[in-house]
Amino acid sequence: MPHTRTAVYTGSFDPITLGHLHIIERASHLFDVLVIGIGINADKRPLFNTADRVDLVKRVTGDIDNVRVEVFEGLAVDFVRSLNANIMVRGIRPLTDIAGEFTMMMANHQLDPGVETVFLMADERFAHVSSSLLKQIASMSDDDEQLAKFVPLAIIKPLREKMRKRSQAISAAE
């Protein structure tokens, strides 16, 4: 039986952006199996709960045959090993991510020298896209065409609904 090359791309994906999706599509061509690991971080307050994030990621990656989505808690490097994988995929945006990702790669290497990190540079169209930026745009603009420059179309309606509920909750608390 041939060896299967499994890679793992971890993140919060809150929500998944066009930048994330572009990295997923590219990585899916490089490896036999690509696992999207949606991390649970107790210190963060995500916009979408874990089940919603899994659903949204599955919705926009469902047509990519070798991609599957899983949830994990704890260290990403431990999650990678739990899948019998040894490759972590990381998407990096020029200037903003390199130092942090390099530090994380070095820490992961100390934790498990057998896990390699593969960096994929974000396409210039998505180099500026972040979940926090798109949340800001979603809260300030009603134009779905503008939002579609940052997130897959399937994410726009759920994102708008979450932003509306968050806005209502903040207004009610004031």
Side-chain angles (χ1 to χ4, degrees):
M1 183 172 157
H3 179 69
T4 301
R5 302 277 307 174
T6 300
V8 183
Y9 179 30
T10 62
S12 61
F13 305 102
D14 185 40
I16 188 169
T17 67
L18 288 175
H20 292 132
L21 188 56
H22 190 248
I23 296 295
I24 291 166
E25 289 168 347
R26 288 170 53 208
S28 73
H29 294 292
L30 299 173
F31 303 100
D32 300 317
V33 176
L34 179 65
V35 177
I36 310 304
I38 299 178
I40 299 172
N41 184 340
D43 295 333
K44 288 188 175 181
R45 293 188 46 158
L47 179 63
F48 290 93
N49 67 36
T50 304
D52 289 340
R53 287 184 282 152
V54 167
D55 176 62
L56 293 173
V57 172
K58 284 182 176 180
R59 198 180 302 181
V60 299
T61 61
D63 63 337
I64 308 173
D65 292 338
N66 64 331
V67 168
R68 72 176 198 253
V69 181
E70 296 193 21
V71 175
F72 75 97
E73 272 188 274
L75 297 173
V77 72
D78 291 339
F79 176 62
V80 170
R81 276 302 184 194
S82 76
L83 299 170
N84 294 315
N86 64 351
I87 303 166
M88 291 183 71
V89 171
R90 300 299 303 158
I92 55 173
R93 296 169 291 184
L95 305 176
T96 58
D97 292 341
I98 293 172
E101 289 292 343
F102 184 77
T103 301
M104 186 60 66
M105 178 200 63
M106 296 304 290
N108 286 336
H109 186 73
Q110 289 293 314
L111 294 169
D112 189 334
V115 173
E116 293 291 340
T117 301
V118 173
F119 293 111
L120 295 177
M121 185 67 71
D123 186 275
E124 64 186 29
R125 296 172 295 157
F126 309 118
H128 62 288
V129 178
S130 68
S131 294
S132 54
L133 173 68
L134 75 91
K135 289 173 194 172
Q136 184 178 19
I137 292 168
S139 69
M140 297 178 158
S141 172
D142 291 332
D143 187 342
D144 285 352
E145 285 184 34
Q146 287 181 332
L147 201 51
K149 294 175 183 176
F150 302 95
V151 294
L153 293 175
I155 305 301
I156 293 175
K157 184 177 178 187
L159 177 59
R160 292 256 186 239
E161 289 172 3
K162 285 290 184 182
M163 296 302 295
R164 182 179 43 76
K165 287 178 184 176
R166 180 177 270 187
S167 178
Q168 290 171 345
I170 290 170
S171 295
E174 291 177 344

